[in-house]
Amino acid sequence: MLFHLGLLGYSWFRALFGFRLPKNSAMGTEEIMGVDVGDWFTQLEYEQWVAIPVFGTRPSARYKHAAAIADDKLYIFGGSRNGRYLSDIQVFDFGSLAWSSIKPNIELNGHKVEEMGSQEALPATSDHSMVKWGNKLLLLSGHSKNSSSSMIVHFIDLPTQQFGILETSGDSPSARGGYSATIVGSRLVIFGGEDRSRKLLNDIHTLNLETMMWELVESMQTPPAPRFDHTAAVHAGRYLLVFGGCSHSIFFNDLHVLDLQTMEWSQPEIQGDLVTPRAGHAGVSIGEHWYIVGGGDNKNGSVETLALNMPKLAWSTLTGVKERHPLASEGLSVCSALINGEKYLASFGGYNGKYTNEVFVMRLKPRDTLRPKIYQSPAAAAAAASVTAAYALAKSEKLDASRIEANSRERGKKKPSQEDLVIEIDAIKEDKKTLEVSLADARAENSGLREKIDEVNSTHADLSKELHSVQGQLVTERSRCFKLEAQIAELQKALESLESIENEVQLLRRQKSVLEQEIEMNDAAQKQGSGVWRWIAG
């Protein structure tokens, strides 16, 4: 696809790449040193953020908005600016590099709009979420002036740009903002947030996107501390990872994992780079990596872009930006964009003392897509050998006649004797028997390896259960340790007070001894004086 850059685009590319446009551009098509401008994304350096040029009117700068990618376009809804909630829907096209705005068609579910009276069709909202499901964008409510008591799910139908409210049932979450919304299969998992009375939450709700039924989920073990403005991601379709966020006074850098099958929380040991506490950051998972951008602690913005290797639970720092850079902001968004067959990170908005409305992209390094371990195991080798042997066996049967015919052609016009044919057929049968034996051996080895795999899987399951049990015991022991430490501290204080009391008792004993000596001396003096006077009187 070919694009017109115009003066702004030319200046941007010239500054970014140091390229010059050729003097002769035919049919309005501009190229950079022979490269189609439409492929400019491929000329970016890996793992470096770049602000891309924008055509058309930019949306107003904001933070704590919601963002999602659909049909190679970045959709932005709502947010906050200078204490005012926003309700606009902005769209950035990665093909034309242009912004546009859309107004939902309110004819769909029009009766609901009438029932809402004077309320806005899409209310001005902040600290909310937006996810793509099928051909719809689902907008989950956050903080707004006229919020309901429970979470409402709006939707925008992308083909028709019609909007509506999805009717849900069940135990819906209370109205809140700063929560995380993560799609796991056909479920939407809601965790944490802050309600309208500023109460911090750490509850879990799920929304079945097929039946639109809410469910309050009970979990086991120690959950994360109540928090908001955190991020969450799912790994292997089973594990929900929760990172960072804050309370009203503490910023977190912890990582918690919820097993969605057993509904057990754990806080595993993390490897790799040290990660500073943060809230208001943004995250997106691509394959086995979870990318974290921005955030801060109300004093400093987080300048590094992080990647968590989810299977290894290891942090690494991809790149960093300068302080006060728009990407070192709170309340920004980040999405995964597929451009020219490559994965890019796309970020928008944020606040770090200044609101921003720039679009940044990062080209990710191609990572080797490792084949599943089953394809690298001995069982797989045996299976491959069995398939090869079976194929060769079948092929040998089809080639019996062709070999004879080929040998006959090599002999020229000489007609082979009956004896020669019998010998050649016997040789082919021997080859067939050898292949059958190889196939049987491969199948037997494959069966044995399957049994070993089943045994290993069973052992793994037992070890996992034991691990969860030990983790529970550790939590209990930690609690006991905290209690014992508190008791020890109290005993130490009591001991210190006993020492001071003992010192006072010793002092009183010395004073008593002195007084007793003085009394004895006085008594002696009195007795001696009384005897002398009796002698004088007598």
Side-chain angles (χ1 to χ4, degrees):
M1 185 176 184
L2 306 180
F3 306 125
H4 261 308
L5 284 180
L7 181 60
L8 175 63
Y10 167 64
S11 301
W12 182 85
F13 278 106
R14 184 176 181 181
L16 178 62
F17 300 113
F19 295 141
R20 291 181 298 172
L21 295 171
K23 295 182 179 180
N24 53 344
S25 297
M27 299 181 63
T29 302
E30 296 175 337
E31 295 181 346
I32 303 175
M33 297 296 291
V35 178
D36 183 2
V37 175
D39 294 333
W40 68 269
F41 282 97
T42 62
Q43 302 175 47
L44 300 180
E45 295 183 5
Y46 288 113
E47 296 183 352
Q48 294 295 324
W49 286 105
V50 176
I52 62 178
V54 170
F55 302 99
T57 304
R58 291 174 179 262
S60 60
R62 67 193 67 198
Y63 84 134
K64 292 191 174 182
H65 52 279
I69 296 284
D71 302 327
D72 299 329
K73 296 178 182 179
L74 174 64
Y75 287 80
I76 302 295
F77 169 63
S80 178
R81 176 183 174 87
N82 296 326
R84 181 171 61 91
Y85 296 145
L86 306 176
S87 63
D88 57 333
I89 303 173
Q90 305 290 336
V91 184
F92 181 73
D93 192 324
F94 288 102
S96 62
L97 303 181
W99 280 103
S100 62
S101 61
I102 63 174
K103 294 182 179 180
N105 184 349
I106 62 175
E107 292 180 2
L108 183 66
N109 294 342
H111 61 284
K112 292 187 177 180
V113 176
E114 293 175 0
E115 292 174 3
M116 290 193 298
S118 61
Q119 293 186 13
E120 294 175 284
L122 287 176
T125 310
S126 175
D127 257 2
H128 53 296
S129 296
M130 177 166 59
V131 297
K132 183 178 183 295
W133 177 251
N135 61 353
K136 291 182 174 63
L137 292 178
L138 305 184
L139 311 175
L140 289 87
S141 59
H143 292 311
S144 61
K145 291 183 179 179
N146 300 316
S147 60
S148 65
S149 60
S150 60
M151 186 174 291
I152 297 177
V153 182
H154 292 80
F155 74 89
I156 298 176
D157 187 80
L158 293 173
T160 62
Q161 294 189 358
Q162 294 176 327
F163 94 101
I165 298 178
L166 290 174
E167 294 184 359
T168 60
S169 60
D171 195 352
S172 62
S174 58
R176 63 188 68 192
Y179 55 90
S180 60
T182 311
I183 290 185
V184 183
S186 61
R187 291 186 300 167
L188 187 64
V189 181
I190 304 295
F191 171 76
E194 180 187 40
D195 67 11
R196 293 182 298 177
S197 62
R198 297 202 65 196
K199 178 184 176 182
L200 298 177
L201 306 167
N202 63 348
D203 54 347
I204 307 168
H205 288 78
T206 62
L207 175 63
N208 189 317
L209 296 175
E210 294 177 349
T211 63
M212 299 311 297
M213 176 175 288
W214 286 105
E215 180 182 358
L216 174 62
V217 179
E218 298 292 337
S219 62
M220 296 182 288
Q221 306 300 340
T222 304
R227 65 190 64 200
F228 70 107
D229 283 355
H230 54 277
T231 52
V234 63
H235 171 56
R238 173 173 177 175
Y239 302 99
L240 181 73
L241 283 67
V242 175
F243 167 67
C246 65
S247 65
H248 294 145
S249 59
I250 301 174
F251 288 80
F252 302 108
N253 65 344
D254 50 357
L255 180 72
H256 296 263
V257 179
L258 174 65
D259 188 331
L260 295 172
Q261 290 187 8
T262 63
M263 297 311 299
E264 291 182 336
W265 283 106
S266 62
Q267 190 174 359
E269 182 178 352
I270 306 301
Q271 302 177 353
D273 295 345
L274 180 65
V275 177
T276 57
R278 68 194 65 198
H281 48 286
V284 61
S285 60
I286 302 176
E288 295 186 340
H289 289 81
W290 187 17
Y291 298 93
I292 302 294
V293 183
D297 58 4
N298 282 343
K299 297 179 182 178
N300 300 299
S302 300
V303 298
E304 67 272 16
T305 298
L306 304 171
L308 176 69
N309 186 315
M310 292 187 285
K312 296 181 180 180
L313 292 177
W315 286 111
S316 60
T317 302
L318 294 185
T319 186
V321 295
K322 296 181 179 179
E323 293 184 2
R324 291 298 181 184
H325 190 280
L327 287 167
S329 298
E330 297 181 31
L332 76 171
S333 62
V334 65
C335 298
S336 168
L338 183 64
I339 305 172
N340 291 335
E342 289 189 74
K343 289 283 189 179
Y344 291 76
L345 298 183
S347 178
F348 172 79
Y351 177 78
N352 60 1
K354 180 182 178 181
Y355 296 98
T356 182
N357 60 354
E358 290 189 77
V359 179
F360 291 87
V361 296
M362 174 191 285
R363 187 184 184 190
L364 297 175
K365 284 184 179 179
R367 301 184 182 274
D368 295 334
T369 304
L370 299 178
R371 293 187 302 173
K373 293 182 179 179
I374 188 172
Y375 294 123
Q376 302 171 353
S377 64
S386 64
V387 172
T388 303
Y391 174 76
L393 180 61
K395 188 175 180 180
S396 66
E397 294 176 348
K398 295 181 180 179
L399 291 180
D400 285 350
S402 61
R403 285 187 181 181
I404 297 173
E405 184 178 356
N407 291 336
S408 299
R409 289 177 181 174
E410 290 178 359
R411 298 189 186 97
K413 296 181 180 179
K414 182 180 178 181
K415 185 176 181 180
S417 64
Q418 186 70 22
E419 185 179 356
D420 293 336
L421 291 176
V422 170
I423 293 173
E424 190 160 0
I425 290 174
D426 291 339
I428 293 173
K429 288 181 177 179
E430 288 296 327
D431 292 341
K432 180 180 177 182
K433 290 179 180 179
T434 303
L435 290 173
E436 287 177 343
V437 171
S438 299
L439 177 60
D441 293 341
R443 285 175 175 171
E445 184 178 0
N446 191 19
S447 178
L449 291 173
R450 285 181 183 276
E451 292 178 357
K452 291 182 180 180
I453 290 173
D454 292 338
E455 183 179 353
V456 170
N457 289 335
S458 177
T459 303
H460 179 266
D462 294 339
L463 291 175
S464 297
K465 292 180 181 178
E466 185 176 354
L467 175 62
H468 290 308
S469 176
V470 171
Q471 288 174 341
Q473 294 175 5
L474 285 175
V475 171
T476 303
E477 292 300 324
R478 285 176 183 170
S479 178
R480 290 181 57 191
C481 287
F482 290 147
K483 292 180 180 178
L484 289 174
E485 288 176 356
Q487 293 176 0
I488 290 172
E490 292 178 357
L491 290 174
Q492 287 177 343
K493 292 181 180 179
L495 181 60
E496 292 174 357
S497 62
L498 287 174
E499 291 178 354
S500 62
I501 292 172
E502 185 178 355
N503 293 332
E504 291 179 1
V505 170
Q506 291 178 356
L507 178 61
L508 291 173
R509 285 176 178 171
R510 288 195 294 270
Q511 292 176 353
K512 179 183 177 183
S513 177
V514 172
L515 289 174
E516 288 177 347
Q517 291 177 2
E518 290 179 354
I519 291 170
E520 290 177 356
M521 291 176 63
N522 290 334
D523 290 342
Q526 288 177 1
K527 290 180 180 180
Q528 184 178 2
S530 61
V532 171
W533 282 110
R534 281 198 301 269
W535 179 78
I536 293 174

